[in-house]
Amino acid sequence: MKTENWQIPKNKLALEIKNLTKIYQGENEHYALDDVSLNVKAGSMFGLLGPNGAGKSTLINIISGIVLKSSGYVSVWGMNIEEERKQSKLAVGVVPQELNIDAFFTPDELLDLHSGMFNVPKAFRKTKELLKLMDLSDKAKSYSRKLSGGMRRRLLVAKAMVHSPPILILDEPTAGVDVELRQKLWQHFKDLNKLGVTIILTTHYLEEAEYLCDDIAIINKGKIIANENKQSLLTKFNEKIIYIKLKKKKVSDKDKISLKKIGTVKIVSDTLEIIFKPSETSMKNIIKTLYNSSLDILDLSTKDVSLEDVFINMTNNK
């Protein structure tokens, strides 16, 4: 499954947004998007994160041509969505959160029907190729109502790709899916990305975005509050946690004083948690402090800051 019919834009951006605003009129004027600017590189896996009501759906709907913007500039695959509305809409495939599949059609029939809706000539339809890519070849002639939840999710991805768009938007693609199926879907998304498809992912599973995405944008209350490379975003929060399981729960006042020089100390049940800044405290110094203490240590482990930690920190303070 390739997107060879779409030449990469000269600026190598799949999506370019400048000062985008969407206002919903009513008794109280509501800014769903407020001066949003962001770029998505062609060929990347881009995570668009935010709490419920943050503006993600509005942004996706504007990109895919369902909702009209109030002001600002949006370019999809190098095309201004106002000047080249039809062609820019064809550059995007959307996989919705809802499983909106007709139960009385087979996957083969659904993909063929959807291809026709996009005016894809029969000679150029890629139904078999898409079913194979999504590991659904053996279910091509089965009624959709008999497919499992994971199969239906994969069918939705195939359905969004019938017109070979260079951009695929995944809106909560693994909602309600168990761990095993979620990991299989992740692999399918990575396979599509390797074929050159730019993927924009919205998800509430922060682990999913951390695993899949190269770049991350966080939107909250209609505003972009972060937009950068994933690793840059993670290292921006200079924190690490060390967990120390104790044989005896009691920690002496003397040990508390010495440990507080390392970082923030918290005791949860029989575990001592120390949040410290690697830029200010070396692991060598921590081990030395623990060695000189009177703590009876059973086990010790460390945890780096996760995307979930970053997300909670940023959205709770905005």
Side-chain angles (χ1 to χ4, degrees):
M1 180 70 212
K2 295 197 179 282
T3 55
E4 65 275 1
N5 295 329
W6 295 90
Q7 187 175 356
I8 294 176
K10 291 179 180 179
N11 59 4
K12 297 183 179 179
L13 292 177
L15 181 66
E16 184 179 9
I17 298 175
K18 295 178 182 176
N19 310 115
L20 176 63
T21 297
K22 175 60 184 178
I23 305 171
Y24 287 109
Q25 303 292 345
E27 287 186 22
N28 296 311
E29 197 174 68
H30 172 61
Y31 278 72
L33 297 172
D34 188 358
D35 198 32
V36 167
S37 295
L38 62 86
N39 294 331
V40 177
K41 292 178 287 187
S44 68
M45 290 268 274
F46 188 90
L48 179 62
L49 311 178
N52 289 327
K56 300 189 300 297
S57 295
T58 300
L59 183 54
I60 288 171
N61 289 337
I62 290 174
I63 294 167
S64 56
I66 297 172
V67 170
L68 297 176
K69 62 187 175 64
S70 298
S71 63
Y73 171 81
V74 179
S75 171
V76 175
W77 209 250
M79 296 172 284
N80 187 313
I81 63 169
E82 287 185 315
E83 297 173 0
E84 299 176 84
R85 185 166 180 80
K86 182 178 179 180
Q87 196 66 7
S88 64
K89 286 174 73 174
L90 287 173
V92 180
V94 180
V95 180
Q97 182 177 346
E98 297 79 17
L99 291 170
N100 56 349
I101 296 173
D102 195 311
F104 297 97
F105 282 89
T106 67
D108 188 74
E109 291 169 338
L110 273 171
L111 295 189
D112 203 48
L113 178 64
H114 212 60
S115 297
M117 290 178 180
F118 278 95
N119 292 320
V120 180
K122 286 191 176 182
F124 294 95
R125 293 179 187 178
K126 299 183 177 182
T127 299
K128 289 183 179 179
E129 188 179 345
L130 283 166
L131 289 172
K132 183 178 179 181
L133 183 65
M134 290 293 112
D135 198 20
L136 290 170
S137 297
D138 60 335
K139 300 293 181 182
K141 303 298 181 182
S142 301
Y143 284 119
S144 297
R145 65 177 180 270
K146 294 183 179 179
L147 300 180
S148 67
M151 291 175 184
R152 292 183 187 185
R153 290 281 176 197
R154 299 203 299 272
L155 182 55
L156 280 178
V157 176
K159 189 178 170 186
M161 293 299 297
V162 294
H163 57 299
S164 302
I167 303 171
L168 183 65
I169 297 176
L170 303 172
D171 187 8
E172 300 288 347
T174 60
V177 172
D178 65 42
V179 175
E180 185 180 355
L181 286 175
R182 185 175 298 138
Q183 290 179 344
K184 286 182 180 178
L185 283 168
W186 288 357
Q187 189 56 54
H188 286 298
F189 302 153
K190 293 185 83 171
D191 291 342
L192 272 173
N193 184 242
K194 286 176 183 177
L195 291 173
V197 180
T198 302
I199 293 179
I200 299 173
L201 170 72
T202 76
T203 180
H204 284 103
Y205 296 113
L206 281 301
E207 177 194 358
E208 183 167 79
E210 187 169 354
Y211 176 73
L212 291 172
C213 299
D214 311 307
D215 302 301
I216 302 284
I218 299 176
I219 186 169
N220 193 28
K221 298 177 182 177
K223 290 181 177 289
I224 296 292
I225 58 174
N227 180 21
E228 56 193 287
N229 177 268
K230 176 180 64 183
Q231 291 306 320
S232 172
L233 190 61
L234 290 172
T235 55
K236 180 181 285 187
F237 286 79
N238 179 33
E239 282 188 352
K240 199 164 184 174
I241 305 173
I242 185 164
Y243 298 97
I244 304 162
K245 191 170 183 179
L246 305 173
K247 189 174 183 179
K248 295 180 181 179
K249 296 180 184 179
K250 191 174 181 181
V251 179
S252 69
D253 291 338
K254 182 181 177 182
D255 285 335
K256 284 180 182 178
I257 292 170
S258 62
L259 291 171
K260 283 179 180 177
K261 291 178 182 178
I262 298 172
T264 304
V265 179
K266 184 167 65 171
I267 301 173
V268 180
S269 186
D270 61 347
T271 302
L272 184 68
E273 295 181 13
I274 304 173
I275 302 172
F276 67 99
K277 298 182 182 296
S279 62
E280 297 175 6
T281 306
S282 68
M283 188 58 71
K284 181 180 179 180
N285 182 46
I286 293 172
I287 292 172
K288 184 179 178 181
T289 303
L290 292 173
Y291 180 80
N292 292 329
S293 73
S294 60
L295 297 173
D296 197 350
I297 299 173
L298 291 176
D299 196 11
L300 184 148
S301 61
T302 61
K303 175 181 175 289
D304 289 313
V305 67
S306 68
L307 186 58
E308 183 174 351
D309 298 322
V310 173
F311 179 84
I312 291 170
N313 184 287
M314 296 193 77
T315 54
N316 282 352
N317 292 321
K318 296 289 179 180

